[in-house]
Amino acid sequence: MAHKYQTKSNISRRNFLSSTLITAGILCTTGLMNAGKASGNQEDYPRIGLALGSGGATGLSHIPMLEVFDELGLKPSIIAGSSIGAIIGALYCSGLSGKEIRNIVNEFSGSGMDVFKTLISGDSGLKIADMLRLDIDEGGLVDSQGFLNFLKHNIKQADFEELSIPLKVVAADYWKREEVILESGKIMPAVKASMAVPGLFAPVTIDERLLVDGGTVNPLPYDLIKKDCDILVAIDVSGVASKEQGKDPDFTDSLFNTFEIMQQAITSQKMKYIMPDIYIKPDVAGIRLLHFNRSELIFEQAAPAAQDLKNKLKELIYES
C-alpha cells in the first residue's frame, strides 16, 4: 500500500526545535527489554542480520563495512537502518555493492553535486549564508529534496518489496513520541523521514503520522532484527568526540553534539539488556554532522574497524 506522503506541517521551526530538544531525551525504543529471541532453526549457512546506525557524516564509515561483506562473499539476510544507516542500507539493499556506494559518495561529495555542497561548508559543517534553499516554514533549516532526488536516481527500486535484501527503516512519531518501523510501500519517503534531523530537516508525514529522525528513538536498531538472524552485527557510527582547545561550541555544534549524546545514551542503555554478536564502532573523530566532503578521511579512520569486522566474521562463520 502506498504511503500518503507530504512534508508540510503547522509547526514553526522554533516550536518544533524547542519541543524536540526537550522531549528527545526520553524517547526510547518500545519494548527495549522485550526484544525477540534469536531463531533456533539453524541452517548450514548462518543468516546474518546487519544493523546500520545513525551518525551523520560519520555514517559514511558504514561503506567500508559493507565492502567487507562483499569481499568475504557474504550477504546479510536482513538490514535495519536509522538515519544515515537507512540511507546506506537502502542503497545496499537495492543491489549496489559497497564499492559502488563508495563511488556514489565520491560523486556527491565532489564538485558534481552542488546541492550537497551547500550542506558541508563552514567549520561546523553548516554555513547558513551559503544555503541555496531554506526550509524554515516547514519546521527545518535545510531543504533535503536535492539530496533525495540524487539518492532516488541511484536506488532503482521504488518500493521496499522490490529490494534484494529486506530492509527495516526506523523513524520516530513526533506526536506519539514512539518508534515507527517502515518496511513496506515507498522507500524514499521512509528514508526522508528517518534522516529528518530535528531542526535541520523538516519532519515528514506518512500515513497521517508526523515523523522525525530515527536516531531519536533507536540510533542502532539491531534489536529489531535479532529474531530474524543467527548472527547479529551492529555498526555504531556515532563517532568519537574531540575537544578543540580554546574553542567553545557554536550553535550548530551544540545542537548536533547534544543530539549525539542522546543517541549514545540510548544505545548504551539498550546494550545492558541486548547485545549483538558482533559490535563494531569505527574510531572516527573530528567529523561533524554534515562533513560529507571529508569522506576520504572518514574511510581512512574506519579502516581498522573494517579489518576488525572482517576478522570477527571469519572467526564466527568460517572458523567455528
Side-chain angles (χ1 to χ4, degrees):
M1 179 181 69
H3 296 303
K4 298 177 182 177
Y5 170 43
Q6 62 184 34
T7 59
K8 293 184 178 295
S9 68
N10 293 322
I11 305 174
S12 70
R13 177 176 175 271
R14 175 174 294 179
N15 290 338
F16 168 72
L17 179 57
S18 299
S19 180
T20 301
L21 290 176
I22 292 172
T23 62
I26 64 172
L27 292 170
C28 59
T29 305
T30 303
L32 182 63
M33 301 183 205
N34 298 315
K37 297 180 179 179
S39 171
N41 298 322
Q42 298 292 323
E43 300 179 2
D44 293 337
Y45 195 80
R47 301 167 302 161
I48 302 174
L50 177 62
L52 303 177
S54 62
T58 59
L60 295 183
S61 55
H62 283 313
I63 297 171
M65 311 306 150
L66 297 178
E67 291 175 330
V68 167
F69 278 87
D70 296 338
E71 181 182 348
L72 295 177
L74 299 174
K75 182 178 180 179
S77 298
I78 188 169
I79 292 178
S82 185
S83 199
I84 185 67
I87 296 172
I88 302 296
L91 288 166
Y92 195 69
C93 290
S94 72
L96 295 173
S97 67
K99 183 177 180 180
E100 288 171 325
I101 298 173
R102 182 188 286 250
N103 291 336
I104 290 171
V105 168
N106 289 336
E107 180 181 349
F108 74 64
S109 64
S111 59
M113 189 54 183
D114 290 337
V115 174
F116 212 85
K117 283 173 66 180
T118 65
L119 304 183
I120 56 177
S121 58
D123 290 339
S124 66
L126 179 64
K127 190 174 181 181
I128 298 175
D130 290 339
M131 292 297 170
L132 291 182
R133 297 185 63 185
L134 300 182
D135 208 19
I136 295 174
D137 291 340
E138 304 301 337
L141 181 61
V142 182
D143 189 343
S144 62
Q145 194 57 49
F147 172 63
L148 267 293
N149 290 339
F150 179 79
L151 190 63
K152 184 177 180 180
H153 174 74
N154 290 281
I155 299 178
K156 306 303 180 182
Q157 296 86 352
D159 300 322
F160 279 91
E161 292 77 8
E162 299 172 348
L163 296 173
S164 60
I165 300 174
L167 174 67
K168 294 179 184 287
V169 170
V170 181
D173 189 311
Y174 176 78
W175 292 117
K176 292 185 178 181
R177 303 179 182 182
E178 63 185 18
E179 178 182 65
V180 175
I181 303 170
L182 303 166
E183 53 187 329
S184 63
K186 298 299 180 183
I187 299 169
M188 293 314 299
V191 170
K192 188 171 185 178
S194 187
M195 63 173 277
V197 178
L200 182 61
F201 298 121
V204 177
T205 298
I206 298 178
D207 294 337
E208 300 182 353
R209 292 180 298 190
L210 190 66
L211 304 180
V212 296
D213 194 299
T216 59
V217 287
N218 199 347
L220 188 58
Y222 60 86
D223 53 302
L224 301 183
I225 54 175
K226 184 174 176 61
K227 63 182 177 59
D228 300 312
C229 62
D230 305 308
I231 296 176
L232 183 57
V233 180
I235 311 299
D236 183 346
V237 293
S238 55
V240 178
S242 56
K243 182 178 180 181
E244 297 185 32
Q245 296 295 329
K247 182 179 179 180
D248 292 329
D250 60 17
F251 169 77
T252 54
D253 278 340
S254 296
L255 172 62
F256 300 143
N257 287 336
T258 300
F259 191 63
E260 291 173 358
I261 291 171
M262 177 199 69
Q263 292 178 323
Q264 291 186 25
I266 293 173
T267 298
S268 296
Q269 187 67 20
K270 178 167 62 177
M271 292 183 73
K272 294 179 181 179
Y273 304 99
I274 313 164
M275 282 293 295
D277 298 296
I278 298 176
Y279 171 77
I280 301 293
K281 184 175 181 179
D283 189 9
V284 177
I287 302 297
R288 295 183 173 89
L289 184 76
L290 296 174
H291 276 165
F292 289 91
N293 60 328
R294 300 184 181 180
S295 57
E296 288 304 319
L297 175 59
I298 295 169
F299 294 148
E300 179 183 343
Q301 293 188 64
Q307 184 61 49
D308 187 27
L309 173 62
K310 182 178 179 180
N311 294 339
K312 289 180 177 178
L313 283 171
K314 289 172 66 176
E315 180 180 357
L316 275 179
I317 295 175
Y318 298 122
E319 300 174 8
S320 59

